Amino acid sequence: MAEGQLTPDEDALSKIDTTVPHSARIWNYWMGGKDNYEVDRVAGDAYREHAPTIETMARASRQYLIRAVTYVARDLGMRQFLDIGTGLPTYDNTHQVAQRIAPESRIVYVDNDPLVLRHAQALLTSTPEGVTEYIDADLHEPERILERAAKTLDFDRPVALMLMGILGHIQDYEEAKSIVRRLQAALPPGSCFVHYDSTDTDQALKEAQQGYDDTGAVPYVLRSPEQLAAFYEGLELVEPGIVSCPLWRPEPGTTPEPTDIYGGVARKL
C-alpha cells in the first residue's frame, strides 16, 4: 500500500458522519447494540419519547426476520438470499438463520453505509459449504445490484429477495414501486419476496418520525398497509398475508401484540 493511502477500514471510517443521526445506527441502539454514536443515541431517545413502542417494534422486526428466513429456507427450500439494506449486524442475521437450516445457503448482503462496510468482515462469515458476500451499492440502482449479485447467486435458480425496513428510505412512492418491480423481474419462478416496513398507523409514531426527519438525517416515509400491499402485486402471498409483523406466523404458544410494522412473504409463480 502506498504511503499515505488509507486502508479499506480507515477509508470507511473517514466517510462516517457522526454529526447527523443515522437510521441503521439508531436501530442498532434500540436493539441493544453498541455500533452507534452519541448523536444516534440522542435522536433515538427523542424518538422513543414520542413513540415509546419503538424498541418493541425494532425487536419485533428482528424476530420476524428470523421466522421469515426460517420459513423460506425450511419450508420453501430457498438456498439463495439477496438481502438489500441489511444494516448493522446484530443477532441472528440472515446468513446465520439460513445456514443453520441449510449450510450450503448463499447470501448476498447489500448496503451503502460506511459503518456497515466497516463491519462487512463480521458479516462475511459463512459455513464452509455456503457463501456470504457483501456488496456496497445503492437501492436506487437495482440493475447494478443485480449485476453484482449475479457473481455469487445463480438467477436461474430461486432467490429470496429481502427488503427489510428499507423501502421507506425511497421517498417517492412510484420510484419505490418501480425499484421493487425491477428487482422482482430478475427473479426466476419459485423465488420469493420477503419484506417489512413501518406504517403510518399510529399518530405518535408519525410525530416521532417527523422529528427525526427534521434532524437532517435521511428521511423515512411511513406508508399505509394498503400502499405496502402494492409491493406484492403479481405475487402469491403466503398465509397470513401482509400483517403486523408479530402476527406473521408467531411461535406456537405465544400471544403476540401487533405493532406498526407490517410485512409478508410472497412467491413468484
Side-chain angles (χ1 to χ4, degrees):
M1 182 172 293
E3 184 178 352
Q5 185 176 346
L6 295 177
T7 66
D9 191 58
E10 290 170 338
D11 184 52
L13 283 171
S14 71
K15 297 176 182 176
I16 297 172
D17 186 350
T18 60
T19 66
V20 177
H22 190 283
S23 61
R25 302 193 308 246
I26 294 174
W27 211 249
N28 176 268
Y29 171 55
W30 286 330
M31 293 179 66
K34 298 179 180 179
D35 297 311
N36 47 74
Y37 297 95
E38 179 65 20
V39 67
D40 307 307
R41 295 187 284 274
V42 169
D45 290 342
Y47 200 114
R48 185 171 48 204
E49 286 182 13
H50 282 280
T53 62
I54 189 62
E55 284 188 354
T56 300
M57 291 170 59
R59 297 176 192 275
S61 70
R62 176 54 49 141
Q63 293 303 314
Y64 165 70
L65 180 149
I66 294 168
R67 296 196 308 277
V69 172
T70 297
Y71 172 78
V72 300
R74 183 189 62 204
D75 297 273
L76 301 184
M78 293 290 157
R79 298 295 181 263
Q80 301 191 106
F81 297 80
L82 179 57
D83 186 345
I84 303 175
T86 179
L88 290 161
T90 53
Y91 59 90
D92 277 348
N93 302 289
T94 297
H95 72 286
Q96 294 166 317
V97 178
Q99 291 182 344
R100 276 202 301 267
I101 295 165
E104 70 275 21
S105 296
R106 305 173 74 86
I107 294 88
V108 171
Y109 290 109
V110 182
D111 211 301
N112 69 336
D113 177 70
L115 190 59
V116 175
L117 180 61
R118 184 189 176 201
H119 287 273
Q121 186 173 0
L123 284 171
L124 292 175
T125 58
S126 176
T127 58
E129 304 94 328
V131 176
T132 304
E133 187 56 82
Y134 173 84
I135 295 174
D136 181 14
D138 194 308
L139 182 56
H140 289 89
E141 301 176 318
E143 285 77 20
R144 183 167 181 265
I145 289 173
L146 292 165
E147 179 183 0
R148 296 185 62 187
K151 297 177 181 178
T152 302
L153 305 178
D154 179 0
F155 281 92
D156 290 327
R157 297 171 50 237
V159 176
L161 169 64
M162 300 176 58
L163 295 173
M164 310 294 263
I166 188 66
L167 289 173
H169 286 303
I170 307 297
Q171 292 182 259
D172 183 89
Y173 181 50
E174 293 304 318
E175 183 184 7
K177 289 193 293 183
S178 172
I179 289 170
V180 172
R181 296 286 178 272
R182 287 146 67 190
L183 290 167
Q184 291 171 348
L187 305 178
S191 296
C192 65
F193 174 55
V194 187
H195 159 263
Y196 77 74
D197 266 301
S198 299
T199 59
D200 64 357
T201 42
D202 179 75
Q203 183 60 34
L205 188 68
K206 291 166 68 174
E207 292 174 0
Q209 186 62 52
Q210 186 60 58
Y212 170 79
D213 293 346
D214 290 344
T215 65
V218 177
Y220 182 92
V221 180
L222 301 173
R223 296 188 169 109
S224 69
E226 293 76 19
Q227 287 178 307
L228 299 186
F231 297 141
Y232 299 78
E233 288 178 359
L235 305 178
E236 181 183 73
L237 279 166
V238 170
E239 290 294 331
I242 306 163
V243 297
S244 177
C245 285
L247 305 183
W248 194 90
R249 297 178 177 256
E251 295 295 334
T254 63
T255 54
E257 294 291 330
T259 67
D260 298 291
I261 297 183
Y262 279 58
V265 175
R267 301 187 69 182
K268 182 174 181 178
L269 301 179

